[in-house]
Amino acid sequence: MSRVQSLTLAMAGVALLAPSAPPATAPQPRPEPAARRTAPAPAATASAEARAEPAVRRTAPGPAATASAEARAEPPARRTAPVSAADLLAKVRTCAPVSRGRYREDHGAKATVPVCGTRDAVFWKADMDIDCDGRPGLRCNARTDPYFSSSTAFAQSDGRPLSSEETPYVVVPAPSAVWNHRSHGVRGGSVVAVVYRDRVRYGVVGDTGPADIIGEASYAMAESLGIDPDPHSGGTPSGVTYIVFKDSRVTPIEDHQAAVTAGERLARRFVDADE
């Protein structure tokens, strides 16, 4: 074999034994997930946050919207101020008599007090004597009141007499030719507003008294108004206004909170009504 052939064969053997040449381009690593691969640009981040943030956080309501929302959310009882003594007295400034005559404030006194009426209520202005009748207690009993009676014209839901010490109530005259309270939507449990000076207190019609006398309320009603409730020496000689709302009724009659709730509502309607 010639030298040239030997060299050619040797180079061919080297070529067969050498490893294959690497590819022109090295393989790239597997793509990283988008969330990890690239941090979002500031503008994109702000946009994503704006979309994810709830609307209530995204936009602050203006003053008008806030006031409107508060007005809708606030209960009506909080939006309306309580009826004042002046409000009620203004509505009963004039008297259209519904009684056929006048009542005495005390035995032997001159009859000077008419019962007046409006579309929604009857009322009178008189003194306040203390009615301590009903269920006996520490302050109202036969020892403290020489005229004590253990009964009341209208009874509690359990059949027992009312308690003058516990239930704020007023007394209406027994029916007579002068006035029959039943003919004017007044009965046991009717809602009343009693005004004395700058105070308004609510209660019920709870008892009847002499047919010719007017101006009497329970121990509890007098006490709530700041009037001396002693059945022997208490009461006040003048300045009390009694307003009874027609065709109203508290059931059970002894539920004072129900009387207050109904009284506030009826007083507001009475004051706001156009006669």
Side-chain angles (χ1 to χ4, degrees):
M1 181 180 296
S2 69
R3 177 180 175 90
V4 174
Q5 290 177 328
S6 299
L7 180 60
T8 301
L9 291 173
M11 290 178 65
V14 170
L16 291 173
L17 293 173
S20 300
T25 303
Q28 297 296 318
R30 287 177 300 180
E32 187 178 8
R36 296 181 181 180
R37 184 172 64 246
T38 306
T45 303
S47 176
E49 289 177 352
R51 289 195 300 271
E53 186 179 16
V56 69
R57 294 184 180 180
R58 186 168 63 245
T59 305
T66 303
S68 176
E70 289 176 352
R72 289 194 301 271
E74 186 179 20
R78 294 185 180 181
R79 290 203 304 271
T80 305
V83 173
S84 68
D87 292 334
L88 287 169
L89 292 177
K91 290 294 289 188
V92 298
R93 187 178 294 117
T94 59
C95 174
V98 295
S99 59
R100 296 179 181 177
R102 296 173 182 252
Y103 287 95
R104 297 177 174 84
E105 294 180 316
D106 297 294
H107 289 291
K110 186 178 180 180
T112 60
V113 181
V115 175
C116 313
T118 70
R119 181 184 61 196
D120 299 317
V122 295
F123 63 91
W124 56 94
K125 303 175 183 182
D127 66 344
M128 181 180 284
D129 296 323
I130 308 302
D131 180 2
C132 233
D133 295 341
R135 226 166 51 246
L138 294 176
R139 304 171 190 87
C140 291
N141 53 62
R143 295 187 305 277
T144 62
D145 182 3
Y147 303 104
F148 177 76
S149 170
S150 59
S151 64
T152 51
F154 309 108
Q156 291 188 163
S157 55
D158 60 5
R160 296 187 297 167
L162 295 175
S163 167
S164 179
E165 296 178 20
E166 298 174 3
T167 306
Y169 67 76
V170 303
V171 181
V172 295
S176 70
V178 176
W179 183 56
N180 184 341
H181 58 270
R182 291 182 293 234
S183 300
H184 291 85
V186 177
R187 53 186 170 174
S190 288
V191 181
V192 302
V194 184
V195 182
Y196 180 66
R197 296 179 178 171
D198 62 348
R199 297 186 179 185
V200 180
R201 298 292 183 267
Y202 298 102
V204 294
V205 171
D207 203 0
T208 58
D212 61 339
I213 293 178
I214 205 167
E216 192 174 5
S218 69
Y219 186 107
M221 178 62 81
E223 187 175 45
S224 71
L225 287 163
I227 297 172
D228 182 357
D230 185 274
H232 183 67
S233 59
T236 186
S238 63
V240 183
T241 300
Y242 304 79
I243 303 170
V244 186
F245 299 107
K246 293 180 179 180
D247 301 314
S248 62
R249 192 173 192 179
V250 172
T251 304
I253 190 172
E254 68 271 19
D255 188 343
H256 178 54
Q257 186 53 54
V260 172
T261 301
E264 290 174 343
R265 174 177 53 82
L266 292 167
R268 172 53 61 190
R269 187 172 72 182
F270 178 63
V271 166
D272 291 346
D274 294 325
E275 293 296 338

